[in-house]
Amino acid sequence: MESWFRIFFLFACIFPAFVECRIRRYNFNVMMKNTTRLCSSKPIATVNGKFPGPTVYAREGDTVLVNVVNHVKYNVSIHWHGVRQLRTGWSDGPAYITQCPIQPGQNYVYNFTITGQRGTLFWHAHILWLRATMHGAIVILPKLGVPYPFPKPDHEAVVVLAEWWKSDTEAVINQAIKSGLAPNVSDAHTINGHPGAISNCPSQGGYTLSVDPGKSYMLRIINAALNEELFFKIAGHKMTVVEVDATYVKPFKTDTVIIAPGQTTNVIVTADQGSGKYMVAASPFMDAPIAVDNVTATATLHYSGTLANSVTTLTTTPPKNATPVANNFIDSLRSLNSKKYPAKVPKNVDHSLFFTVGLGINPCPTCKQGNGSRVVASINNVTFTMPTVAILQAHFFGIKGVYTTDFPQNPPFKFNYTGTPPTNLATMSGTKVYRLPYNATVQLVLQDTGIISPENHPIHLHGFNFFAVGKGLGNFNPKTDPVNFNLVDPVERNTIGVPAGGWVAIRFRADNPGVWFMHCHLEIHTTWGLKMAFLVDNGKGPNESLLPPPKDLPKC
């Protein structure tokens, strides 16, 4: 069905007289599917029986309608990760933030317009740990007649990186919550749903990308993993990076991409090597003493005419703690900042925020394995409590008692954030949001803490893109560090890594009314409470106001 739609879509957009290229309709049937990986089978939650799920294709300016029907026992919601959702927060998807989830047997139509975006994004479940297997690509093509700002590749391919557990992922996280400790790491990584050759499961196949000599290929790489940042390499081939998080960047060549959960990266690869087979590898990056799944996922770049039994050219993956390799990639990213695609970095700041992100320990009398304690996570020492009514509904309808607007602008108490932790590791709990007037400019410094362990946190902001204007190691210095901020061509993203033992500064304009979730995209940290929300008030006119909710909005 997906391939038929893709042919239909391309035909329609080449010959627009036949079909108006404005509305894209999709049906997402959420269903269980028995799936075998690593020589063992289990039922997984899928969309339309696929892992990864179907790709959503659209052009910039198109309206997308996705009818999601829930045929499984779990409550379900889908987030369109990175889509701006201008005034359409009801379609953003995080359960209990912008909507109540879709209950078993129910359906909901997500309705949004792609505005001012083109490139690669992705969709995923945004409740429980269902996004482990419920995710897929969003491919946004430029408007008709608008070229890429780089040489058009001959072909394109979606490459989705993920994790695989032999166990049921809901059982994995439920056991972790019960114990108060960290969950078991995954058993393998996957490339387009396949781990590749695994020593204890020789029959396991892998994804193959077939290429023709001399042709160029744009790979739309997505990290849909739950908890792990990944290095991506192709043996013997350089990659030219042209876009991240659906925003164009100044092209640069690299042999290694670093990509955090929630991030996307478009690279162009030219099949310029000798005929043969070349290893594609996805391996973990972790520069802190935290357990990771150390199994490298592999796929194959296969030149046409090469015999199937030919020897594959291998590549060496970076050490898992290869911080310089990661930083070299991250520091190379710059906005295109051209006349057509300017970098509209806020120069003046209305709200200057400083948020610490990290872990903590709270009492838990029932957590026997945790010796009466549980690991939690927080922003500015607030461990977020999920409400039972969606915050956006409470905001729109004036429902009292669901949330408070007293999220702290700065940490409640100061300490040496990346040095010796305080003696009290406890956090406070609450459903707190930070309120912003419409069109306010925001500078947000995200500071990692060394409580339990420093760690790289990929922070995702819903509803906005932002500019990463600075980063550094140690504690942010508000007097000296801003002097070195890049306000000319900083990379524009929707998900940014806060360096382990360091900080990152972002800027954005609050030009999208509604309630917008911000959280760590390591799913365990979200589960533990490393999340908050911004409430952006309506502006002056109807074009600056949140649209009313649709009639089929799910009920709690």
Side-chain angles (χ1 to χ4, degrees):
M1 185 71 182
E2 183 192 351
S3 57
W4 178 88
F5 184 89
R6 188 174 184 181
I7 293 166
F8 173 79
F9 169 79
L10 292 172
F11 178 85
C13 291
I14 294 167
F15 305 103
F18 291 91
V19 175
E20 213 170 47
C21 284
R22 289 184 185 164
I23 296 180
R24 308 277 166 230
R25 297 179 190 273
Y26 287 87
N27 283 310
F28 273 26
N29 287 295
V30 179
M31 58 178 71
M32 301 304 290
K33 177 76 180 291
N34 212 44
T35 306
T36 302
R37 296 290 185 274
L38 307 179
C39 291
S40 69
S41 300
K42 67 171 184 176
I44 62 171
T46 70
V47 167
N48 298 351
K50 295 183 174 186
F51 168 68
T55 299
V56 170
Y57 293 91
R59 285 194 181 277
E60 180 187 347
D62 285 351
T63 294
V64 179
L65 301 176
V66 187
N67 180 33
V68 177
V69 187
N70 185 2
H71 300 285
V72 300
K73 65 181 180 181
Y74 304 107
N75 285 346
V76 162
S77 73
I78 304 282
H79 170 50
W80 315 92
H81 184 111
V83 173
R84 284 290 314 274
Q85 297 289 359
L86 286 166
R87 303 170 54 229
T88 54
W90 309 107
S91 287
D92 191 41
Y96 301 108
I97 304 298
T98 58
Q99 67 168 94
C100 298
I102 306 164
Q103 296 176 31
Q106 301 297 307
N107 76 297
Y108 177 47
V109 177
Y110 290 91
N111 180 345
F112 54 90
T113 299
I114 308 287
T115 306
Q117 293 181 281
R118 76 294 300 167
T120 304
L121 297 170
F122 76 119
W123 59 264
H124 59 79
H126 212 303
I127 187 170
L128 307 173
W129 272 30
L130 295 181
R131 79 172 170 93
T133 54
M134 280 179 59
H135 56 251
I138 303 174
V139 172
I140 307 170
L141 299 172
K143 290 181 178 178
L144 279 170
V146 176
Y148 293 130
F150 46 82
K152 187 176 187 295
D154 297 303
H155 302 282
E156 300 183 7
V158 168
V159 178
V160 182
L161 313 178
E163 290 176 270
W164 182 267
W165 279 259
K166 286 185 178 180
S167 306
D168 172 37
T169 47
E170 294 310 311
V172 170
I173 183 54
N174 289 339
Q175 173 58 31
I177 292 169
K178 187 178 175 182
S179 72
L181 302 175
N184 292 338
V185 299
S186 53
D187 296 295
H189 296 106
T190 57
I191 300 175
N192 281 349
H194 299 280
I198 302 285
S199 58
N200 57 3
C201 180
S203 64
Q204 183 72 59
Y207 170 71
T208 297
L209 176 65
S210 298
V211 300
D212 293 322
K215 299 289 187 184
S216 59
Y217 296 79
M218 182 154 72
L219 307 184
R220 298 175 176 270
I221 309 166
I222 296 163
N223 187 346
L226 283 193
N227 294 313
E228 299 192 351
E229 298 192 64
L230 296 167
F231 289 118
F232 181 85
K233 290 186 73 174
I234 303 173
H237 292 73
K238 291 274 191 184
M239 297 173 276
T240 301
V241 180
V242 293
E243 178 245 300
V244 296
D245 291 4
T247 62
Y248 295 132
V249 296
K250 291 183 172 73
F252 67 95
K253 284 189 183 299
T254 184
D255 63 2
T256 308
V257 167
I258 180 72
I259 184 166
Q263 292 183 334
T264 65
T265 302
N266 282 7
V267 300
I268 293 177
V269 180
T270 301
D272 56 5
Q273 299 301 302
S275 181
K277 297 193 303 183
Y278 296 83
M279 175 182 173
V280 180
S283 62
F285 167 58
M286 173 57 73
D287 57 355
I290 305 283
V292 294
D293 169 3
N294 223 359
V295 180
T296 297
T298 60
T300 305
L301 189 79
H302 188 126
Y303 279 71
S304 59
T306 302
L307 296 175
N309 60 359
S310 299
V311 176
T312 300
T313 301
L314 304 180
T315 185
T316 54
T317 57
K320 70 177 181 182
N321 62 347
T323 310
V325 177
N327 279 339
N328 184 54
F329 180 86
I330 294 164
D331 294 342
S332 299
L333 294 169
R334 291 280 187 275
S335 282
L336 194 56
N337 195 25
S338 64
K339 193 172 182 180
K340 186 162 189 178
Y341 302 103
K344 296 178 181 176
V345 189
K347 297 296 194 292
N348 301 307
V349 174
D350 299 322
H351 290 250
S352 186
L353 310 179
F354 183 77
F355 288 1
T356 54
V357 294
L359 306 181
I361 297 177
N362 283 349
C364 174
T366 61
C367 298
K368 292 186 172 61
Q369 287 174 278
N371 294 323
S373 298
R374 72 159 66 254
V375 180
V376 295
S378 68
I379 303 178
N380 273 357
N381 209 47
V382 178
T383 295
F384 190 87
T385 303
M386 292 298 279
T388 53
V389 173
I391 296 175
L392 187 61
Q393 286 173 278
H395 164 60
F396 188 85
F397 292 110
I399 303 168
K400 303 293 184 190
V402 176
Y403 65 90
T404 59
T405 56
D406 57 345
F407 189 89
Q409 183 174 352
N410 293 287
F413 58 93
K414 293 181 179 179
F415 62 98
N416 182 0
Y417 306 117
T418 55
T420 305
T423 51
N424 182 4
L425 304 183
T427 67
M428 67 178 100
S429 297
T431 309
K432 299 175 184 290
V433 305
Y434 189 90
R435 194 164 201 151
L436 289 166
Y438 180 83
N439 224 28
T441 54
V442 180
Q443 177 176 293
L444 169 57
V445 175
L446 295 158
Q447 171 75 59
D448 183 35
T449 70
I451 296 176
I452 301 182
S453 173
E455 192 171 348
N456 191 313
H457 298 276
I459 301 294
H460 172 49
L461 175 60
H462 291 225
F464 301 95
N465 281 356
F466 52 74
F467 293 96
V469 296
K471 76 180 178 78
L473 289 177
N475 298 333
F476 174 72
N477 186 320
K479 291 197 172 95
T480 58
D481 286 326
V483 176
N484 299 313
F485 282 0
N486 175 8
L487 302 180
V488 178
D489 62 350
V491 68
E492 185 179 352
R493 306 207 73 140
N494 62 59
T495 305
I496 190 75
V498 181
W503 57 270
V504 68
I506 66 172
R507 289 189 181 187
F508 65 96
R509 181 178 294 279
D511 58 357
N512 195 3
V515 173
W516 303 108
F517 208 20
M518 189 180 81
H519 60 97
C520 183
H521 224 268
L522 304 180
E523 199 63 30
I524 182 55
H525 289 175
T526 298
T527 301
W528 282 342
L530 208 164
K531 47 195 173 185
M532 59 82 66
F534 288 101
L535 191 164
V536 179
D537 288 319
N538 284 339
K540 290 180 179 173
N543 291 337
E544 297 179 356
S545 300
L546 176 68
L547 292 167
K551 289 187 171 62
D552 64 338
L553 188 71
K555 293 178 172 58
C556 286

